Amino acid sequence: MPKQAMRMLMLILVLAIVAGCSGNNQPSPGTGTAEGSGETPQVQGPTKFSISMRTLNVAYVEKHPDINKDPYVQALEEMTNTDLDIRLIPHNEYQDKMVQMFATNDIPDVVQGSGGISGPELAGAVENGVFLPLNDLLEEHGKDLLAFIPEEAWARMTDSKTGNIYGIPEILSNPSRRATWIRTDLLEQVGKDIPTTVEETLEVLRAFKEAGVEQPFAGRQNFKYADTFFGAYDVLGYLNQFKLFPDGQVKPNFFDVDNMKAAIGIYKTMHDEGLISREFATIESTDFRSIVTSGKAGMWSMNANELPIWGAQLMENVPDARVALIPSPTGPDGGGGYAHYNPVTRSFYINKKAEDKAAEIVQFFNWMVSDEAELFFSYGLEGEDYTMVNGEPSFEVPTDTAGTDKMRYLNYWLWLVQDTTYNKMVSSLTETGQQMIDAFDNMLAHEGRKGIEFDPRLEALIRYPDLNPKSDEMPPLILEHVLRMVYGREEIDNYEAVLDEYLSKGGKEIIEEATARYNNQENAFE
Amino acid sequence: MEATTAAQTTLTKKEQPRDKRRVLRFMWKYKALYLLSLPGILYFLIFKYIPLMGSVIAFQNYNLFAGFSGSPWVGLEHFTRMFSHYDFLNILKNTLLLGIYDITFAFTAPIILALLLNEVRMVLYKKVVQTVIYAPHFLSWVIVSGIFIGVLSPSSGVANTMLGWFGLGPIYFLGEDSYIRSVLVGSGLWRDVGWGTIIYLAALASINPDLYEAAEMDGAGRWRQMLSITLPALLPVITILFLLKMGDFLDYGFERVFVFQNPLNIRNSEILDTYIYKAGLTQMQYSYATAIGLFKSVVGLFLLAIANTLSKKATGESLY
């Protein structure tokens, strides 16, 4: 190789290495902070801070080339005198990315969590002192937040040992979020009334079957969104479904043997008679949705706030279809419904390193519960999305995909602190929206199952993953046996043996810990 | 990169520098080659060797915020916990069985397929077949599982419709312990068999056609030619790939199993990879997950060493 050429090559290589290495230094998180704090307080330029947010499957956000340049984000910045640096965290990799963020110590000024202060996505950051206690700041700058957010939501943000509040919660005032849906046109066709008890429901399902409905009750993998009858018998067995038994012990509610056997029996009957798909154990969420919206199902369970969307899709495919939310079937105790949701949907934590601008950040969140914020996040920008007529905003609810995507983004994603049950201003404008509000306020508010919940979760549950339930799934060990019983591979009468197995494989420790924590009122929520 | 290092070693052997100064002078002489190899060496050091040290967390109670230096040491606690887990033997059995099936079917199938393709005379037909069988490799496991769940569905799947013609079934393939291993191995076979033939086809293309001509002159049929020429020529490639495969014996893969799992088949489908995910990563038990992963790697290394020694003795082919 000629010498000249070789020197050139070496030069290029060296340059490449230098460029490659220095590239990593550029997005240094410290620079933004330094600039913001360097200014004197009198100038009061916009407060600059970074915030990490999960994309939550919101199409508008996920498709956006640069969310920080979005007109709505910029309008928000103008209204709150801030300069946001939103760092998106992909919905499906949320936990991994959050843990990476903490592990590499590249933590933004504000971190969005989901649920309580000990959620797995926070990786123990609160215990390890990454975030600022907010008690004094809230007293001084967050009065509206303190007034708006109920005590039970603050309790989830509080370390019960020190009394420190670590996060600002977004709330769900009506934790009964899932509902029982039924095709009222089919109900009319078979000449039945709306069923109220489990027995009546089975009769309706049988009538649906006779009338040729393919899946009278839409089943789904692991009884997700198909747990109606476990709810009726109050044996859901999820994370927030611990119960104080007469023997003084706090146990998961599937220890209620008689009710559990009865509930499994109902599913077995439905399976044997073909009232539920015989392959429901492999039906995933997308299949479930298409089964429902293509009109193959007669009755199912879904989040009530999906009524406008699922209802419209169903009627597009089956023009005669009519759908309604009905009270969930009741069991022997007269109750029914689905597991309650956590009263906190999203939560926001302030990094200790951002202490110098924490006051402004709290003010920013405080603004979220103002009337100005409600109008902006419900309808959008004046002149562009809505007009003022005689001092009243006039808004038309969009029906196309782009429009609904934008509404979801504004109503749900960008509005950081609100009551997420439903958007009152938008929903009250349409008929299905009003139906949904009515269902939430007058029906769902009175149903649903809630037991004792521990947050942070029980240590023993972490040690025994097979016994660890999810927020809407039974522990794997129990689920496995229950499914085998429904599919006729095991006798329902063997259920006591399943509980013995549960106890011998670590369940004893779970119950001991649960009972002790319940008795000491140590972060146990009822 | 590899070519450069290879060139270096031959040069070193030729010149045999005896003292340090000569080594340095020698290196200076070939500085361009050394410089060229630098990024590669750095890559392996930074991204492969340094992260290996992270395995120490298997012997700690790793805390994300305290780091390696701040986390307490716990010795072999996580390993004891793993071996004493009530389901450990079953999980290990599933992992081993799937590994054995994988070697027996998924490893041999591409060889047979490559040999078959090699015998196809019509070039166009051969190309079409190759493309068709490569294609599934580019599908993600989530999609593969979606396809298989559909095909194997007892109510609407093709497989059960066909069984119905013979008066059998319907069988809920994914809802039974006894079928899940076949489904797992079968789906892997369908997805990757075409991809696996590429290397063998390349090796087949490099066989000297004179050998076949000569064999034909001696009256050897196609079968004889395959046994005496094609297979021996492929043997080095087969051995190397087999050895590499042995190193991953316990790494059946997380995603491909996870997407097929449900409580009705879990008894035969839970393997170490899926267990690591459920018990370790989703519960933030990093040390525990690392301990299981380390166990897997050590077993893999052990198997690789055995297979390598055996193959060196038997065929003369080896990785190192």
Side-chain angles (χ1 to χ4, degrees):
Chain A
M1 205 188 275
K3 250 189 179 166
Q4 282 287 327
M6 206 150 76
R7 282 202 185 126
M8 278 300 284
L9 191 75
M10 277 161 74
L11 192 71
I12 290 168
L13 267 177
V14 169
L15 278 178
I17 291 168
V18 169
C21 294
S22 63
N24 291 342
N25 298 335
Q26 273 169 359
S28 144
T31 39
T33 325
E35 278 167 28
S37 58
E39 288 176 26
T40 43
Q42 285 104 335
V43 181
Q44 277 299 346
T47 314
K48 227 175 155 162
F49 67 92
S50 52
I51 175 168
S52 68
M53 285 177 72
R54 186 177 189 174
T55 58
L56 290 170
N57 270 342
V58 174
Y60 186 95
V61 178
E62 288 178 345
K63 288 179 192 156
H64 209 291
D66 183 358
I67 197 72
N68 285 308
K69 298 225 167 70
D70 183 73
Y72 296 97
V73 172
Q74 285 174 344
L76 168 66
E77 287 173 339
E78 206 170 296
M79 281 186 267
T80 54
N81 191 28
T82 52
D83 181 2
L84 298 177
D85 169 16
I86 300 177
R87 302 194 194 161
L88 296 180
I89 304 198
H91 184 75
N92 295 328
E93 299 161 87
Y94 180 58
Q95 198 176 325
D96 293 347
K97 295 279 174 203
M98 288 285 282
V99 170
Q100 263 174 36
M101 191 176 88
F102 288 117
T104 55
N105 205 14
D106 179 18
I107 308 170
D109 299 325
V110 179
V111 173
Q112 180 233 311
S114 44
I117 52 173
S118 55
E121 77 281 359
L122 294 175
V126 171
E127 293 98 303
N128 284 282
V130 174
F131 301 121
L132 213 56
L134 303 174
N135 305 41
D136 299 340
L137 285 162
L138 285 167
E139 281 299 333
E140 202 176 329
H141 303 284
K143 287 231 162 56
D144 301 329
L145 287 171
L146 289 174
F148 177 78
I149 296 165
E151 199 49 51
E152 58 163 355
W154 286 120
R156 304 280 176 149
M157 298 286 103
T158 310
D159 179 351
S160 68
K161 287 184 198 111
T162 57
N164 285 341
I165 299 173
Y166 283 101
I168 299 171
E170 179 183 51
I171 57 163
L172 183 69
S173 67
N174 185 342
S176 184
R177 203 172 167 76
R178 297 186 185 179
T180 307
W181 302 40
I182 201 162
R183 286 271 302 275
T184 43
D185 58 317
L186 294 175
L187 209 53
E188 260 170 49
Q189 192 189 321
V190 300
K192 295 261 181 196
D193 291 330
I194 290 173
T196 53
T197 62
V198 170
E199 289 74 25
E200 286 175 24
T201 309
L202 278 186
E203 285 312 313
V204 167
L205 294 177
R206 287 187 183 116
F208 281 174
K209 180 82 189 174
E210 253 170 59
V213 179
E214 196 181 310
Q215 297 187 20
F217 183 82
R220 200 173 134 183
Q221 195 165 37
N222 299 345
F223 300 108
K224 247 186 159 163
Y225 285 95
D227 49 2
T228 314
F229 299 97
F230 289 112
Y233 286 94
D234 198 13
V235 285
L236 289 162
Y238 308 151
L239 261 186
N240 62 352
Q241 302 287 333
F242 281 81
K243 195 170 122 180
L244 180 63
F245 277 75
D247 61 3
Q249 288 186 312
V250 175
K251 301 188 249 194
N253 58 13
F254 52 72
F255 267 83
D256 182 346
V257 175
D258 295 337
N259 280 321
M260 189 66 178
K261 280 183 176 172
I264 302 171
I266 299 288
Y267 281 98
K268 180 158 169 48
T269 310
M270 297 208 306
H271 171 264
D272 293 350
E273 295 183 20
L275 306 178
I276 189 171
S277 164
R278 288 215 168 85
E279 51 196 296
F280 77 91
T282 43
I283 292 180
E284 309 236 16
S285 61
T286 41
D287 300 331
F288 178 79
R289 183 173 184 152
S290 72
I291 287 166
V292 168
T293 53
S294 63
K296 286 184 196 162
M299 187 178 173
W300 63 92
S301 150
M302 206 350 83
N303 293 348
N305 56 351
E306 297 286 350
L307 182 64
I309 299 160
W310 285 46
Q313 275 180 357
L314 175 64
M315 277 180 249
E316 207 173 286
N317 296 328
V318 187
D320 296 334
R322 291 289 170 274
V323 67
L325 307 181
I326 60 166
S328 300
T330 53
D333 66 346
Y338 304 92
H340 275 182
Y341 276 67
N342 193 315
V344 175
T345 48
R346 288 191 286 187
S347 44
F348 298 89
Y349 304 89
I350 301 177
N351 191 338
K352 261 212 166 118
K353 288 180 191 146
E355 197 167 359
D356 51 325
K357 50 194 168 177
E360 285 83 6
I361 296 176
V362 172
Q363 279 165 6
F364 167 79
F365 283 103
N366 194 53
W367 177 82
M368 290 282 162
V369 296
S370 66
D371 292 343
E372 189 189 8
E374 187 179 7
L375 180 64
F376 169 65
F377 290 118
S378 297
Y379 292 167
L381 295 168
E382 191 188 337
E384 202 165 310
D385 301 302
Y386 69 95
T387 46
M388 288 304 258
V389 180
N390 306 330
E392 286 290 314
S394 155
F395 176 74
E396 206 159 302
V397 183
T399 49
D400 58 320
T401 318
T404 45
D405 279 357
K406 194 165 84 180
M407 291 316 292
R408 199 166 158 73
Y409 159 68
L410 267 180
N411 296 170
Y412 164 75
W413 193 82
L414 192 60
W415 195 354
L416 302 181
V417 179
Q418 57 166 322
D419 178 0
T420 53
T421 307
Y422 50 76
N423 186 301
K424 199 182 282 166
M425 286 177 81
V426 176
S427 298
S428 53
L429 295 178
T430 61
E431 201 183 318
T432 41
Q434 283 163 0
Q435 255 178 31
M436 182 189 80
I437 293 182
D438 179 54
F440 265 117
D441 292 353
N442 302 320
M443 188 181 84
L444 290 171
H446 308 296
E447 67 174 46
R449 297 293 193 177
K450 182 171 188 272
I452 302 164
E453 181 182 4
F454 300 96
D455 187 14
R457 74 175 64 176
L458 301 169
E459 289 278 320
L461 289 179
I462 296 170
R463 274 200 303 280
Y464 302 107
D466 278 350
L467 310 185
N468 189 4
K470 292 188 187 158
S471 60
D472 62 351
E473 258 177 56
M474 286 179 202
L477 180 90
I478 301 291
L479 190 59
E480 184 190 324
H481 286 288
V482 168
L483 270 166
R484 281 172 201 270
M485 288 172 182
V486 171
Y487 274 85
R489 313 234 169 98
E490 251 176 66
E491 289 298 318
I492 296 178
D493 285 335
N494 283 346
Y495 185 69
E496 278 97 343
V498 176
L499 291 182
D500 288 341
E501 190 185 342
Y502 177 90
L503 289 174
S504 70
K505 285 177 173 172
K508 268 207 181 83
E509 286 174 52
I510 292 173
I511 292 169
E512 273 163 27
E513 194 187 340
T515 310
R517 265 181 65 175
Y518 177 74
N519 290 336
N520 299 336
Q521 279 307 307
E522 197 183 308
N523 283 36
F525 299 96
E526 226 172 325
Chain B
M1 201 66 249
E2 267 173 34
T4 339
T5 19
Q8 259 165 245
T9 37
T10 44
L11 281 171
T12 333
K13 270 182 194 155
K14 239 183 251 166
E15 311 230 338
Q16 291 285 344
R18 260 171 238 130
D19 55 353
K20 262 189 193 165
R21 268 184 59 195
R22 276 187 67 179
V23 174
L24 284 178
R25 199 182 306 152
F26 175 80
M27 285 176 75
W28 182 246
K29 191 173 169 193
Y30 296 104
K31 54 190 176 290
L33 289 178
Y34 278 99
L35 204 66
L36 275 175
S37 70
L38 201 63
I41 292 170
L42 282 178
Y43 168 79
F44 278 102
L45 275 181
I46 296 172
F47 293 106
K48 301 283 166 187
Y49 285 90
I50 294 177
L52 266 185
M53 320 237 180
S55 300
V56 296
I57 68 171
F59 306 95
Q60 291 182 324
N61 261 339
Y62 183 61
N63 177 325
L64 214 58
F65 298 93
F68 303 115
S69 47
S71 301
W73 294 90
V74 294
L76 295 175
E77 192 191 295
H78 296 294
F79 293 91
T80 335
R81 190 180 145 198
M82 170 179 73
F83 291 121
S84 59
H85 181 68
Y86 63 88
D87 215 18
F88 179 72
L89 282 180
N90 184 41
I91 295 172
L92 190 65
K93 185 189 98 190
N94 289 337
T95 316
L96 288 174
L97 272 179
L98 273 175
I100 292 169
Y101 290 159
D102 198 43
I103 295 260
T104 351
F105 298 107
F107 182 73
T108 49
I111 303 175
I112 297 169
L113 193 65
L115 290 175
L116 289 175
L117 279 173
N118 194 41
E119 301 297 324
V120 174
R121 297 259 169 110
M122 266 175 68
V123 180
L124 185 70
Y125 177 69
K126 187 176 160 185
K127 293 256 149 124
V128 170
V129 170
Q130 275 187 25
T131 317
V132 169
I133 58 176
Y134 290 166
H137 175 77
F138 300 98
L139 300 177
S140 77
W141 285 111
V142 180
I143 295 171
V144 173
S145 86
I147 294 173
F148 269 75
I149 288 171
V151 168
L152 297 175
S153 155
S155 63
S156 55
V158 184
N160 273 302
T161 317
M162 286 188 342
L163 280 178
W165 296 341
F166 303 100
L168 298 170
I171 300 170
Y172 193 8
F173 287 101
L174 286 161
E176 298 211 25
D177 292 323
S178 44
Y179 292 107
I180 188 63
R181 290 198 191 103
S182 319
V183 171
L184 288 172
V185 175
S187 59
L189 207 59
W190 175 74
R191 181 181 183 262
D192 287 328
V193 72
W195 186 253
T197 58
I198 292 181
I199 293 179
Y200 296 114
L201 286 172
L204 283 170
S206 68
I207 300 175
N208 191 344
D210 293 355
L211 291 173
Y212 290 108
E213 241 168 71
E216 231 166 271
M217 297 292 275
D218 292 342
R222 298 214 79 151
W223 180 249
R224 188 74 237 176
Q225 286 178 25
M226 191 192 79
L227 287 184
S228 303
I229 302 171
T230 320
L231 264 185
L234 274 186
L235 203 59
V237 181
I238 296 177
T239 321
I240 296 293
L241 287 179
F242 179 75
L243 290 175
L244 290 175
K245 188 101 187 163
M246 282 311 278
D248 308 328
F249 190 70
L250 293 185
D251 299 313
Y252 192 69
F254 159 72
E255 204 188 346
R256 56 185 300 190
V257 179
F258 188 70
V259 291
F260 283 106
Q261 276 183 343
N262 67 54
L264 291 176
N265 64 33
I266 196 86
R267 282 183 198 171
N268 281 353
S269 65
E270 188 82 306
I271 61 169
L272 285 170
D273 290 312
T274 52
Y275 180 70
I276 288 178
Y277 174 77
K278 289 175 199 166
L281 300 180
T282 57
Q283 315 289 331
M284 295 199 305
Q285 304 268 296
Y286 301 115
S287 292
Y288 187 40
T290 311
I292 307 174
L294 203 60
F295 165 75
K296 250 177 49 180
S297 311
V298 170
V299 174
L301 187 69
F302 196 62
L303 287 174
L304 178 70
I306 296 178
N308 196 54
T309 322
L310 286 180
S311 127
K312 212 187 223 164
K313 290 226 167 93
T315 65
E317 298 290 339
S318 67
L319 277 178
Y320 52 86

